[in-house]
Amino acid sequence: MITGELLIGGSTRRGSDGEIWGIEAASGRRLEPSFGGAALEDLEQACLIADQAFDTFRRTSPEERAMLLEKIGSNILDLGDELIDRCVAETGLPRIRIEGERSRTVGQLQLFASVVREGAFLDVRIDKAMPSRKPQPRADLRLTNIGVGPVGVFGASNFPLAFSVAGGDTASALAAGCPVIVKAHSAHPGTSELVGRAVQSAVRACELPEGTFSLIFDSKRAVSQALVANPRIKAIGFTGSRGAGVAFMQIAARRPEPIPVYAEMSSINPVILFPSALAARGAEIGSQLVAALTLGAGQFCTNPGLILAVNSEGYDSFVTAAREAISATTAATMLTPAIHKAYRSGVDQLVSHQSVTTVARGRAGGENQAQAGIFETTAGAFLSHRELQDEVFGAATLIVRCDDAKELREVVEHLEGQLTIALHIDQGDYMFARELTPLLERKAGRLIVNGFGTGVEVSHAMVHGGPFPATSDVRTTSVGSLAIERFLRPVCYQAFPPELLPCAVSDANAWGVPQRTDPGT
């Protein structure tokens, strides 16, 4: 049952600072009930109990944390159709997409449960004492990772489950031993409350401190900003716009104790069409591009928003196939009116740009529905007009026609940081691809051959990150098991009596975690 209440630890209360309403994306009508916005006092209480819970929660065993993550996943599944129906209404996304995202959400909770049980994330290192070493003896040194402290998480608009209340940021922070305060996205408050109650119930069932998890709604920006600024919060997980991400980074940097903001923000995910591949299958690539571009109304952070190609054999076939495919597409409902408005604005700028040609548009639709589009420009124009690199969040892409390989490389050199870069190649392109790869590695977190960035596998080897402005920290990923490292820090214990050592670094190793040991002499 959805009540519109805040979840502050184990308690519920009606927020008193304004109201938020879920909106049915397809019709624009309000969905009951209304949600009370959190006051600063509510946020302060959530941060206080998270801080009080931290030392207890971070000392839980790997098994205890794994059980929490698995219990959250099973509770989400137990919500059944109530969750799916509400999420479909609030987002306008098709039911099959939401069901798939629910599976992904539960799957990543299970992934982190397995990571925690395995124990390598603790990175235990033991250097035994060397009392007879000359000229100086070595003390006994032992290192393990601990959680950084309470973490603030901001739910994303385009993934109401997998990047939201119990999404990757929350799962990895809990796995690291960090209490979490989630600021729900206002586009899907009902979905957020349902999942939040599933997390709250799991915390209670596992007999963990109530401050391990809280969920708040924000009717204004003040509470979101205060969450980042609160001195008890030690890290932020965020997925959203560049403007909001940079604003949070600035708030965090101005704190007396600056903290990391792990923000996934803006990416146009270039797709490079190499000459041999273009000549061999230009038309096929054109059709595949449109399928990737229009998936989910183009509302993916890995959507292919830029195409780079040399004007050579197969180029015309590629453009013709893409034109035909996009012309046949139907308009799709976008997540929110605000996202639709921003998409329309970005497309209008491309349509009216003096150096851009409209290749084709999809079929027009109704209110809050996006009409897909493909546009074209030259490499010279792209290099001269910085605004052509701006992300248009939705089903729109810009083809950059290059005269030769040298010009294509020049365009790549001028690109900002990206989440993904895709290379469409055949064997005849290998030499050029080999030459270009070191540059591409500097530009993106994930390189893809003969595919597109849409579809992010939740796995050990996945990187969902990249140089700014794709993310705020190029060293991290927000998807995959490596995401846990964002919320950990190392602590070294020197010359500690065995009775005082944490379980992970003790010789008894009751947790059975991997230990890298230098036995000394």
Side-chain angles (χ1 to χ4, degrees), residues 12-341:
T12 61
R13 70 179 72 159
R14 174 77 184 184
S16 60
D17 192 1
E19 283 187 320
I20 302 164
W21 292 84
I23 302 296
E24 187 175 57
S27 68
R29 71 177 180 90
R30 283 182 172 182
L31 297 169
E32 296 287 348
S34 67
F35 294 76
L40 292 176
E41 294 79 9
D42 298 316
L43 173 66
E44 181 60 30
Q45 177 65 16
C47 293
L48 173 63
I49 63 174
D51 187 58
Q52 292 171 341
F54 175 51
D55 282 332
T56 299
F57 183 52
R58 72 179 177 86
R59 288 189 172 97
T60 53
S61 69
E63 181 61 26
E64 289 172 307
R65 261 181 256 172
M67 290 176 64
L68 170 64
L69 295 166
E70 290 172 341
K71 182 60 176 175
I72 293 171
S74 65
N75 284 355
I76 290 172
L77 291 175
D78 288 344
L79 291 169
D81 286 344
E82 183 182 12
L83 175 63
I84 301 300
D85 292 343
R86 180 71 184 210
C87 197
V88 169
E90 288 184 329
T91 65
L93 296 170
R95 186 179 186 88
I96 190 170
R97 153 71 193 275
I98 297 302
E99 290 174 342
E101 192 177 329
R102 179 179 59 183
S103 296
R104 170 179 169 169
T105 303
V106 173
Q108 65 191 3
L109 287 162
Q110 293 170 340
L111 172 69
F112 282 109
S114 69
V115 167
V116 171
R117 279 198 177 96
E118 191 270 336
F121 77 101
L122 294 168
D123 197 17
V124 175
R125 300 162 185 244
I126 298 175
D127 297 328
K128 295 290 184 70
M130 299 173 66
S132 60
R133 190 183 68 175
K134 304 296 183 182
Q136 294 290 333
R138 183 177 79 185
D140 186 86
L141 301 169
R142 298 174 185 239
L143 176 151
T144 187
N145 286 328
I146 69 169
V148 297
V151 172
V153 170
F154 289 82
S157 63
N158 59 334
F159 280 88
L161 299 176
F163 279 83
S164 194
V165 175
D169 288 339
T170 297
S172 55
L174 292 175
C178 300
V180 172
I181 299 171
V182 176
K183 202 292 288 185
H185 198 284
S186 58
H188 37 76
T191 300
S192 296
E193 184 187 330
L194 288 170
V195 176
R197 287 184 179 276
V199 180
Q200 184 187 59
S201 176
V203 170
R204 186 181 302 115
C206 293
E207 299 182 345
L208 295 169
E210 65 164 352
T212 300
F213 173 81
S214 291
L215 174 69
I216 60 173
F217 300 97
D218 185 8
S219 64
K220 304 170 184 176
R221 295 182 178 178
V223 169
S224 294
Q225 295 168 349
L227 175 58
V228 180
N230 191 285
R232 294 186 174 90
I233 297 300
K234 301 305 180 184
I236 295 293
F238 170 83
T239 297
S241 70
R242 186 191 305 196
V246 170
F248 290 155
M249 291 164 59
Q250 292 170 342
I251 293 170
R254 290 195 299 264
R255 290 173 38 144
E257 178 198 2
I259 61 170
V261 173
Y262 297 110
E264 189 260 280
M265 299 176 289
S266 177
S267 184
I268 54 176
N269 307 296
V271 177
I272 304 175
L273 310 183
F274 285 72
S276 292
L278 198 58
R281 45 194 173 87
E284 179 183 349
I285 296 172
S287 299
Q288 292 170 345
L289 166 67
V290 172
L293 178 67
T294 57
L295 185 66
Q299 298 169 115
F300 291 91
C301 45
T302 53
N303 208 46
L306 184 70
I307 313 300
L308 310 180
V310 174
N311 188 10
S312 57
E313 182 184 356
Y315 179 85
D316 290 341
S317 297
F318 161 75
V319 173
T320 297
R323 178 188 295 114
E324 292 175 351
I326 205 78
S327 299
T329 60
T330 57
T333 301
M334 300 199 80
L335 292 160
T336 68
I339 289 175
H340 179 250
K341 181 179 179 181

Side-chain angles (χ1 to χ4, degrees), residues 409-422:
R409 183 185 180 93
E410 186 178 1
V411 170
V412 174
E413 289 173 345
H414 283 78
L415 292 175
E416 295 182 319
Q418 307 292 334
L419 292 171
T420 73
I421 297 178

Side-chain angles (χ1 to χ4, degrees), residues 445-461:
R446 178 162 57 111
L447 304 180
I448 304 152
V449 167
N450 294 336
F452 300 91
T454 46
V456 181
E457 189 72 28
V458 180
S459 65
H460 297 295

